[in-house]
Amino acid sequence: AGAVGAGSVPPAAEAGAGAVSKKDIAVLEAVTVGLLVQLRPVLDGTARRAERRLTQTVMERKREMAEEITGGLREIKVREGDETDSDEEEEIYNPKNLPLGWDGKPIPVWLYKLHGLNQYFTCEICGGESYRGARAYEKHFAEAKHCHGMKCLGIPNSRHFHGVTKIADAKALWAKLRLKQEAEAGGGR
């Protein structure tokens, strides 16, 4: 039966389940400030790195990423006590002589076979050059070395000769094409 004063809080509201005391708030603030002090170097470093990345070119970013990757590996080796020169490259085990992938390691055998890299194609016109895989072989017909070989034979490098790799075959086909062209030119008069 006591009256509630103008500046006081009712006892029921103070003892409620959702009420938080000033002491609890102060403890939470102190913990938050402590965590922020510990994380400040990380936050500052992140901000500096983001600013630096904004001013870098694509090539500079790629070089930096490569240095981070290889630098991290070198640091781990040094910590483990592995004393190798940074100039020496680690020899990679490659008994099947598979081509190297983007990471400098041999590609898997299944991928090697899938791309047909286990097949070699030789081109007599290119001076006996050997091409690994059907894709490289098909591509080489438009390359300068093949064009030069055809030019040396006195044969134009047209789509008719795509797939022809033997000099004798190319000369025979060129002779047939010339006869056909002469027959068409003579028959059109």
Side-chain angles (χ1 to χ4, degrees):
V4 176
S8 65
V9 179
E14 208 173 294
V20 179
S21 70
K22 290 182 180 181
K23 184 179 178 185
D24 291 338
I25 293 174
V27 169
L28 289 174
E29 283 180 12
V31 169
T32 305
V33 168
L35 289 174
L36 183 62
V37 166
Q38 289 178 352
L39 287 175
R40 177 57 58 195
V42 175
L43 292 172
D44 291 341
T46 303
R48 279 193 307 271
R49 187 172 184 180
E51 288 174 6
R52 190 176 69 243
R53 294 244 179 199
L54 288 173
T55 60
Q56 288 179 331
T57 64
V58 175
M59 291 302 296
E60 288 173 334
R61 278 191 221 132
K62 285 182 181 177
R63 189 172 350 124
E64 185 177 308
M65 286 176 60
E67 286 175 1
E68 286 177 6
I69 291 170
T70 57
L73 292 175
R74 285 188 189 131
E75 289 175 12
I76 291 170
K77 286 182 181 178
V78 169
R79 282 188 213 141
E80 291 175 353
D82 184 18
E83 295 187 20
T84 58
D85 285 324
S86 59
D87 296 338
E88 291 180 24
E89 293 210 10
E90 193 174 310
E91 192 169 322
I92 298 170
Y93 181 68
N94 191 2
K96 294 184 179 181
N97 198 21
L98 298 172
L100 302 179
W102 61 269
D103 57 353
K105 295 180 181 174
I107 64 171
V109 175
W110 65 267
L111 187 62
Y112 175 75
K113 289 182 179 179
L114 177 72
H115 288 294
L117 299 177
N118 54 342
Q119 300 171 342
Y120 289 92
F121 300 92
T122 340
C123 182
E124 217 178 83
I125 297 169
C126 296
E129 187 76 26
S130 188
Y131 297 94
R132 179 184 262 184
R135 185 176 179 199
Y137 173 71
E138 292 295 323
K139 225 190 230 185
H140 105 276
F141 288 108
E143 291 177 354
K145 190 169 190 175
H146 190 80
C147 293
H148 178 71
M150 294 291 281
K151 192 175 182 182
C152 288
L153 293 172
I155 302 172
N157 191 22
S158 64
R159 62 180 176 84
H160 300 292
F161 297 95
H162 187 82
V164 178
T165 57
K166 303 257 186 244
I167 293 174
D169 294 345
K171 285 182 176 179
L173 182 59
W174 177 235
K176 284 182 185 179
L177 287 172
R178 275 196 304 192
L179 287 174
K180 187 178 177 183
Q181 287 175 351
E182 289 173 3
E184 287 176 0
R189 291 183 189 177

